[in-house]
Amino acid sequence: MGLVRYLRRFDLRFMLILTVLVLICVYVWNFSALTYTSGDSTPVFVASKISINKREGVLPHATPSSSAPTRSSDPVDAKEEQNVVENKPVGNDDGAKPANPIAAAQQDGNSKTVEEKKEPSAFTLCPVIVNCASNQFSYYVQSGQGTAQPPIICYNNELVMGKGTADKTYTRGANIVVIHPKFKTIIDRRSFDLYESSDNCMAMARFLSGFVPFKGQILMASFDEMSTNLCSSVKTLLNQYGSALAKNLKFRDNFVLVGEKALPGNFGFEKVGSVPKGGSWPAAAVNVSGCATQPISPKYVDVDVINGYSLENCGVQKCGFEEIEIHIATGDTGTRAPKLCIGSVYIYYPGLKGSRGFNLVELDPATKTVIKTAEYDTYQVESSRLELFLENVGPKNFLIAIVADDGSVSLKQHARDLLKQFGFDGDLIAMRTVLYFVGRKGLKVTPVQKISRPDSPKKFAPPINERFCLPMELSEATVEQITSKARTEFCAKHQSFADFCFVHHKTEPLIPATKLTSYDAISEVFEVPILVLGGVNNIAMSHTLQSLLKQPGLNTKKVYVAYSIMFGDDYKPFIELFGFQQVVVKPISRYVEFLTAALQQFWLLNSDATHAIVIDDEVVAKPGFMWYMGHALKAMKRDSQIGAASAWNPQGFETVASDPSAVHVVSLFPGQAFLISKTFYEVEIKDREQECCSQRSIQQWFQSGTQKQYKYIIPEISRAGYFSPTAYSAQTQPLSSLAMSMPRTAASMNLTEVPLLMDNVYNFDTVVTDNLKSAYYVTERDMTICRNSKGKGAVKLLAPFLPLDKHNIAVVYSQARADDYQSLKYLYSCFGLMYMDGISPYGIYNGVTTVSLGNKRVYLVGTSSAYYKQTAQSLNPYVASF
């Protein structure tokens, strides 16, 4: 018993001593985190904290958040001595509204404590330590200063580029570190000398558009000079990484950016430093630092008013004094991401604000001011809160409403009746109906409304995407003003146009899409005449014509629809509904005869035209069709070797087509929806139709060759597609089934203005040669995967074995001669590409086929190709032989 009492006393003493020791350790650790010892052993306090406004949904307004606190000795802090332009996501101390809520919340709202020390600890090389939450990454990016001080790029408190790294990866110009969005690891470090050559800028454009994965982050810092050869392609791409300042860089400006692929402009974290007026070079270095989540896209809830991403005049021509610019989009098919721009500011934007169901704005027309916003998911939640919002809208104010995805399931009758008070019939909202309207209380029928309905309850409605000038006075409208009376009368007489005259479609007006301001750069394409080859499938033709009407800026007087006179009773009044012109051909049974007659009449009517766009039967224009054709027209005028530009990529399947900026060169005429010159028509087609074009263009024209040698260009992601593959004859049915059997990468609204890397077309040989020199060549092990998979899932199986740091992948296949494609046939199967016996391979150019595999560019190279002999042969790569 005595021994037991002794042990108990020992336990008590031991616990007391242990507690004291723990308290001492905690005190010492906290003190050391706030201080460091200078050379004279005097403790200096340098740590600081950035606090956030914790009230849910309210944005912080006082703290500049484009960088965390920096050392007091850092020259960038001396604002009165240097001209520094800073992208500040939040407002100033005077209470101004935030210019950039996404960046604000990302750097302030998500960062709980940021601590920085002037001198790093022994285990890190980064000069500034940034402590972040576990779900965030830290960054410190500092530009170079002159030619002596190199840039500094830190990721998660480790120096990854700059002086002190194991290898010198930085150079004059732009220096970039890429972070993988999924694995959150560094996958590449690149430097581009933008002072030395414009070729380096195009290389940087290819890197940003092709290598960096979707939603991947970049940390970027300039060194010495990066503006001299900073081309427009890179400026546009940097805007898509969140930069609003890069486009205005001047000679020897310093620049830093933390951005993300597919992040709207002005949402990145960036700074520009310039030499002050009257000052001397070099300008002081600039930096940004802080914490961010991956991806950089915080969500907002129940914020009364958010002024977010800005776009001058919402992308439309400047409206009158009594009007305001509007951009409305109901979101891509099946998503909950509407857009609403008012004036020049987006109130709703993907990643900023917006949801499924109702997205509302109350607008004061007298001052053009947003009073209130709200979102109500009436698919999932009943509509009582929506009803309360509607009841409290001011009597003179406008209500702007967007319904995205679906808002009908939980929408009560009282809410539908309240919508009628604003001039919109709420009973029209059915399952998966998307719509927008602008109304005010007291209107019986608002003149500003648009509805899109699905063909069946299991499908999504076609999205609405419109830009227009909204008058600040809404006059009473009649039913005839918001519907198409002519369309309704046509449908009453012509029952064969079942889809066009579907009960929910027949009242919709046929109005051309408004021209976008960005389309001024391609304005000449709207003077190019368009020939539509109309066949026997009137449903397909109605979709073709409606798809053209949705192209921004389309000149309806330049669209010609060819059809056989035997269908005149139906087709003539139908085409007149669209305001298009007509080319009537005598009764002909064979396709080639119809094509010949249509082209002859078309060119007679457009004798002054130098180029023409031809759209084959049952082909529809996708978003970005005219945008692509406008840039293709410029390319054809610059390069006479381009015979035609097609908007259709026969190999544009989901597994191998992912880069919307990419344009490829091919050896074979792709057809379907194409741009040709009058010279090409006269030399290669006129009087040779029986030889060149006896079948539809999907069957591949010019199989016996052309008079001259040409190259043709196609987009990686198609801007045209087929409406109905089932309407083909028995002869072409196998090919059409192959063409449509696998899912294709969809052209979305975002492609209407996406930058296109046309410079790669002019230098295609150089681009391919350079990429093959630095490519990873697949091994026999890699090809074993292809053999064993027999074309089923080979791409997914192969991807994990490819190196992360290699953007270009090369697969060499054996050839006995230049036209031997036996091994390529099996490679096409491996990569999920279309191959038809008896027809030259689709997508090939001088023995090389180019596709994408995620963020990697893949080249299938034949041993008879000049590219192989110039680059790969000396490397002695594995040659696939099947």
Side-chain angles (χ1 to χ4, degrees):
M1 294 296 294
L3 179 60
V4 172
R5 286 194 298 271
Y6 175 80
L7 290 175
R8 287 178 178 172
R9 287 197 302 270
F10 177 82
D11 281 349
L12 183 61
R13 293 170 185 172
F14 175 80
M15 292 302 297
L16 181 61
I17 294 171
L18 182 61
T19 301
V20 172
L21 288 175
V22 169
L23 290 173
I24 293 173
C25 290
V26 170
Y27 175 80
V28 171
W29 183 83
N30 284 332
F31 184 79
S32 63
L34 295 174
T35 66
Y36 72 88
T37 304
S38 62
D40 57 1
S41 300
T42 304
V44 182
F45 288 82
V46 297
S48 60
K49 296 185 178 180
I50 296 179
S51 61
I52 64 170
N53 189 336
K54 295 183 179 180
R55 187 162 62 98
E56 182 181 37
V58 180
L59 302 178
H61 285 269
T63 308
S65 63
S66 57
S67 72
T70 57
R71 296 166 292 175
S72 59
S73 59
D74 194 315
V76 77
D77 291 337
K79 294 289 179 70
E80 67 279 5
E81 297 179 7
Q82 181 198 0
N83 178 21
V84 176
V85 180
E86 181 175 354
N87 179 6
K88 294 186 177 182
V90 295
N92 299 321
D93 291 339
D94 58 5
K97 291 182 178 179
N100 184 348
I102 279 190
Q106 191 63 63
Q107 290 198 248
D108 286 53
N110 291 339
S111 300
K112 296 190 176 179
T113 303
V114 177
E115 297 183 4
E116 301 187 5
K117 303 178 184 180
K118 186 171 182 179
E119 291 189 5
S121 60
F123 54 84
T124 181
L125 293 173
C126 191
V128 175
I129 306 303
V130 182
N131 296 324
C132 301
S134 59
N135 64 334
Q136 297 174 319
F137 71 90
S138 69
Y139 60 87
Y140 177 82
V141 183
Q142 179 176 297
S143 71
Q145 183 173 355
T147 59
Q149 179 177 315
I152 297 172
I153 299 180
C154 297
Y155 174 67
N156 282 339
N157 295 325
E158 291 189 14
L159 181 66
V160 295
M161 182 177 284
K163 187 175 181 180
T165 51
D167 55 340
K168 181 182 178 298
T169 54
Y170 61 89
T171 187
R172 174 179 57 192
N175 300 275
I176 304 174
V177 172
V178 182
I179 312 300
H180 195 282
K182 181 178 180 180
F183 303 109
K184 300 176 175 51
T185 56
I186 295 171
I187 57 175
D188 205 351
R189 294 178 292 175
R190 294 285 183 96
S191 297
F192 302 90
D193 189 344
L194 301 181
Y195 179 79
E196 180 184 52
S197 169
S198 59
D199 291 342
N200 292 336
C201 191
M202 292 314 302
M204 182 174 172
R206 292 192 295 271
F207 176 77
L208 292 173
S209 64
F211 176 82
V212 182
F214 179 74
K215 286 297 179 183
Q217 289 79 36
I218 63 169
L219 313 179
M220 178 177 172
S222 68
F223 183 35
D224 187 7
E225 157 59 12
M226 69 168 283
S227 67
T228 300
N229 289 299
L230 187 63
C231 51
S232 58
S233 296
V234 167
K235 290 180 180 179
T236 302
L237 285 166
L238 288 177
N239 180 259
Q240 295 179 2
Y241 279 79
S243 173
L245 305 178
K247 62 183 179 182
N248 296 319
L249 287 178
K250 300 185 296 295
F251 183 69
R252 276 185 165 164
D253 279 354
N254 291 327
F255 175 69
V256 290
L257 168 69
V258 175
E260 180 179 277
K261 194 168 190 177
L263 184 68
N266 202 39
F267 288 168
F269 316 134
E270 57 181 340
K271 277 186 186 178
V272 173
S274 305
V275 176
K277 189 174 182 180
S280 58
W281 180 82
V286 293
N287 69 73
V288 292
S289 62
C291 303
T293 58
Q294 292 170 304
I296 305 174
S297 53
K299 296 179 180 178
Y300 292 84
V301 290
D302 295 328
V303 183
D304 287 339
V305 178
I306 294 180
N307 290 331
Y309 170 42
S310 63
L311 176 65
E312 185 177 2
N313 299 328
C314 297
V316 300
Q317 302 288 346
K318 180 67 177 177
C319 298
F321 180 74
E322 296 299 327
E323 299 174 317
I324 192 168
E325 298 81 8
I326 297 290
H327 175 209
I328 290 180
T330 57
D332 291 337
T333 302
T335 66
R336 311 170 187 179
K339 297 179 184 178
L340 173 61
C341 179
I342 302 177
S344 294
V345 176
Y346 275 93
I347 307 302
Y348 291 107
Y349 199 87
L352 170 66
K353 185 175 173 68
S355 73
R356 175 178 59 189
F358 280 81
N359 301 267
L360 306 177
V361 170
E362 182 179 354
L363 179 73
D364 181 355
T367 61
K368 300 181 180 179
T369 302
V370 173
I371 304 300
K372 186 167 51 177
T373 71
E375 306 110 69
Y376 302 105
D377 182 1
T378 51
Y379 171 84
Q380 187 172 10
V381 182
E382 59 91 18
S383 55
S384 58
R385 292 181 62 204
L386 168 63
E387 296 162 9
L388 184 63
F389 182 97
L390 296 175
E391 290 169 351
N392 286 280
V393 174
K396 295 183 179 180
N397 291 340
F398 285 0
L399 173 68
I400 303 177
I402 304 174
V403 174
D405 190 5
D406 179 77
S408 67
V409 173
S410 300
L411 187 66
K412 303 302 181 184
Q413 188 58 46
H414 181 52
R416 295 175 185 270
D417 294 339
L418 287 172
L419 291 172
K420 295 176 183 178
Q421 297 181 11
F422 293 87
F424 180 80
D425 186 356
D427 292 334
L428 295 176
I429 303 176
M431 182 66 179
R432 284 184 170 167
T433 297
V434 297
L435 62 93
Y436 76 81
F437 73 86
V438 182
R440 62 170 171 79
K441 288 183 175 179
L443 282 179
K444 293 182 179 179
V445 181
T446 174
V448 186
Q449 57 176 289
K450 184 70 175 287
I451 302 176
S452 178
R453 298 180 176 87
D455 294 332
S456 72
K458 294 183 179 181
K459 295 182 179 180
F460 291 102
I464 300 171
N465 184 23
E466 295 187 349
R467 289 176 166 91
F468 55 89
C469 295
L470 175 67
M472 290 296 95
E473 288 189 12
L474 288 180
S475 56
E476 194 73 52
T478 63
V479 174
E480 287 76 13
Q481 287 177 298
I482 63 168
T483 62
S484 175
K485 182 178 180 180
R487 181 171 181 170
T488 304
E489 292 176 350
F490 171 86
C491 291
K493 299 177 182 178
H494 302 271
Q495 304 298 324
S496 61
F497 290 79
D499 185 69
F500 180 78
C501 295
F502 182 61
V503 62
H504 291 313
H505 295 166
K506 64 182 180 181
T507 60
E508 295 177 1
L510 300 171
I511 303 173
T514 305
K515 182 181 177 182
L516 311 181
T517 52
S518 58
Y519 276 48
D520 289 341
I522 58 165
S523 57
E524 60 182 344
V525 78
F526 298 111
E527 296 303 315
V528 175
I530 300 173
L531 174 63
V532 178
L533 299 173
V536 299
N537 188 340
N538 57 22
I539 296 177
M541 189 170 76
S542 73
H543 281 265
T544 299
L545 301 192
Q546 290 179 87
S547 71
L548 282 174
L549 211 60
K550 294 177 182 178
Q551 300 299 315
L554 181 78
N555 185 348
T556 56
K557 295 180 180 180
K558 291 292 182 179
V559 180
Y560 294 77
V561 184
Y563 62 91
S564 172
I565 193 171
M566 67 175 64
F567 302 116
D569 291 343
D570 284 335
Y571 280 9
K572 184 178 185 297
F574 177 69
I575 296 168
E576 289 174 348
L577 288 175
F578 293 84
F580 296 160
Q581 317 311 307
Q582 304 186 31
V583 175
V584 184
V585 178
K586 64 181 181 180
I588 294 172
S589 59
R590 296 177 61 211
Y591 170 81
V592 65
E593 294 171 347
F594 173 74
L595 174 71
T596 302
L599 285 172
Q600 287 177 353
Q601 290 193 48
F602 172 75
W603 283 109
L604 284 174
L605 293 170
N606 296 277
S607 57
D608 295 335
T610 60
H611 292 77
I613 296 171
V614 180
I615 301 178
D616 212 341
D617 183 24
E618 297 189 347
V619 175
V620 295
K622 299 292 186 180
F625 175 78
M626 292 301 291
W627 177 256
Y628 169 78
M629 287 300 188
H631 287 282
L633 178 63
K634 290 184 176 182
M636 291 178 65
K637 288 186 174 182
R638 176 174 168 178
D639 188 346
S640 60
Q641 287 188 328
I642 301 175
S646 175
W648 187 68
N649 179 2
Q651 304 289 20
F653 303 111
E654 283 184 350
T655 54
V656 290
S658 57
D659 187 355
S661 297
V663 181
H664 298 310
V665 176
V666 294
S667 299
L668 305 171
F669 184 83
Q672 290 33 281
F674 52 89
L675 172 70
I676 57 172
S677 67
K678 187 174 184 179
T679 302
F680 182 88
Y681 165 74
E682 292 176 340
V683 173
E684 305 297 346
I685 299 178
K686 187 178 180 182
D687 300 327
R688 299 181 69 238
E689 288 88 353
Q690 291 285 354
E691 179 184 351
C692 75
C693 321
S694 60
Q695 304 178 81
R696 301 188 187 202
S697 56
I698 192 175
Q699 291 293 102
Q700 201 172 95
W701 286 1
F702 306 108
Q703 291 189 38
S704 58
T706 52
Q707 303 282 81
K708 296 182 180 180
Q709 191 70 28
Y710 299 97
K711 61 184 180 183
Y712 307 99
I713 59 176
I714 58 174
E716 179 161 309
I717 296 179
S718 297
R719 270 66 167 184
Y722 279 98
F723 165 73
S724 173
T726 59
Y728 285 97
S729 65
Q731 181 183 1
T732 62
Q733 182 63 42
L735 180 58
S736 64
S737 296
L738 272 175
M740 305 302 292
S741 60
M742 292 175 290
R744 291 179 170 271
T745 305
S748 68
M749 292 185 296
N750 299 329
L751 297 186
T752 54
E753 301 173 88
V754 69
L756 293 165
L757 298 178
M758 284 295 179
D759 286 348
N760 288 0
V761 172
Y762 313 130
N763 307 302
F764 193 77
D765 290 334
T766 302
V767 171
V768 173
T769 300
D770 290 346
N771 287 346
L772 288 177
K773 288 179 180 178
S774 61
Y776 165 79
Y777 285 82
V778 299
T779 65
E780 184 174 5
R781 177 206 63 184
D782 300 328
M783 283 299 96
T784 301
I785 298 173
C786 178
R787 290 176 187 270
N788 296 338
S789 68
K790 298 181 180 180
K792 298 179 180 179
V795 171
K796 291 183 179 180
L797 293 172
L798 184 61
F801 293 94
L802 301 178
L804 288 175
D805 60 342
K806 288 289 187 178
H807 171 48
N808 301 302
I809 308 297
V811 183
V812 180
Y813 62 91
S814 64
Q815 287 182 293
R817 57 188 183 280
D819 60 350
D820 174 18
Y821 298 118
Q822 188 62 29
S823 293
L824 182 63
K825 176 180 178 179
Y826 285 93
L827 282 179
Y828 269 31
S829 175
C830 173
F831 284 91
L833 300 173
M834 180 172 62
Y835 188 95
M836 282 293 293
D837 290 323
I839 297 178
S840 298
Y842 284 101
I844 199 167
Y845 178 70
N846 290 346
V848 172
T849 303
T850 308
V851 297
S852 289
L853 186 56
N855 65 327
K856 300 182 185 299
R857 183 72 69 223
V858 179
Y859 298 94
L860 309 181
V861 187
T863 54
S864 295
S865 166
Y867 295 122
Y868 172 75
K869 297 172 182 177
Q870 293 171 9
T871 59
Q873 191 171 21
S874 61
L875 302 175
N876 193 29
Y878 170 75
V879 178
S881 180
F882 295 89

